[in-house]
Amino acid sequence: RFLGAEGYDVYNIGYPSTRLPVEELTQRVFEALDQQLRQRNYQKVHFIVHSLGSILVRQHLKDNELPALGRVVMLAPPSQGSEVVDRLGGIFLYKWINGPAGLQLGTGPDSLPNRLGPVDFECGVLAGRKSINLYLSTLFPGENDGKVSVARAKLQGMKDFRVLDVAHPFIMQNAEAMRLSLRFLRDGAFGS
């Protein structure tokens, strides 16, 4: 609603994040996006993605070109994986709740996020440092949003980075995150 009120056409593409691995989710999302894009002739296509969505965009753009690609804002991305997966990934309940894609987001050098490498597109990252889950917060060595550490949200090649006082599941509704995302789409930086 916020971006629509600012004049943007918005496509919110859902996907079964707990049932499929990242590679299959990426294919589904970008096939759905392609259908939307064929209906219009956009000069620029921007992305604002939350958490796993950042990995889907990076996965797609690693091997595919999007000629109309504009700017990308990542909200609470596990850019270098998450310690939560390292510590809890072997537990049945974690696997059941997070599915195969969630298990791909560890912090090891061979984890999917770390194999994707740096980005070569205009990207801004917003990380959170507030948690509503006191147990999960104990799994991190530093500031975190309960799912992703501030340090691991950073991404090589990003153009700008900010940390907000917000928890992982609420960053997309945060007024400051919305304001900064819009500014990045327009200017390529979060500004002051």
Side-chain angles (χ1 to χ4, degrees):
R1 288 189 302 265
F2 173 75
L3 291 171
E6 293 292 334
Y8 289 88
D9 289 343
V10 178
Y11 300 104
N12 189 357
I13 300 171
Y15 50 90
S17 64
T18 61
R19 294 199 317 261
L20 299 171
V22 166
E23 296 81 3
E24 290 180 54
L25 294 172
T26 301
Q27 182 178 348
R28 284 185 180 206
V29 166
F30 280 87
E31 284 174 358
L33 178 63
D34 187 52
Q35 289 176 358
Q36 295 289 339
L37 296 181
R38 275 191 257 133
Q39 297 173 13
R40 301 276 186 110
N41 186 25
Y42 292 109
Q43 293 181 358
K44 290 287 181 194
V45 177
H46 302 294
F47 290 88
I48 297 180
V49 291
H50 176 248
S51 197
L52 177 60
S54 68
I55 302 299
L56 301 187
V57 167
R58 287 175 63 201
Q59 173 75 26
H60 181 78
L61 294 177
K62 182 177 183 201
D63 298 321
N64 300 281
E65 190 174 307
L66 186 60
L69 180 63
R71 296 180 173 125
V72 178
V73 177
M74 296 181 178
L75 307 173
S79 301
Q80 301 173 54
S82 173
E83 291 88 347
V84 172
V85 180
D86 297 342
R87 298 283 296 276
L88 303 179
I91 298 171
F92 170 78
L93 186 59
Y94 179 88
K95 292 177 186 179
W96 183 70
I97 292 171
N98 294 283
L103 294 173
Q104 293 177 279
L105 304 179
T107 64
D110 294 329
S111 71
L112 180 60
N114 289 319
R115 288 194 323 260
L116 292 174
V119 295
D120 61 356
F121 49 84
E122 285 188 86
C123 176
V125 174
L126 296 174
R129 66 173 156 225
K130 184 176 179 181
S131 177
I132 58 171
N133 188 318
L134 299 179
Y135 171 71
L136 290 182
S137 290
T138 66
L139 304 179
F140 299 95
E143 289 186 314
N144 65 85
D145 67 5
K147 297 274 178 110
V148 178
S149 71
V150 169
R152 291 197 177 274
K154 293 179 180 176
L155 180 58
Q156 190 177 358
M158 65 185 177
K159 301 289 184 212
D160 209 343
F161 180 79
R162 285 287 173 85
V163 181
L164 305 175
D165 291 319
V166 64
H168 191 86
F170 304 119
I171 193 167
M172 59 284 240
Q173 289 108 8
N174 179 273
E176 183 69 358
M178 287 188 255
R179 185 185 72 76
L180 292 171
S181 295
L182 180 61
R183 181 173 284 172
F184 192 88
L185 293 186
R186 290 181 174 164
D187 302 332
F190 294 130
S192 53

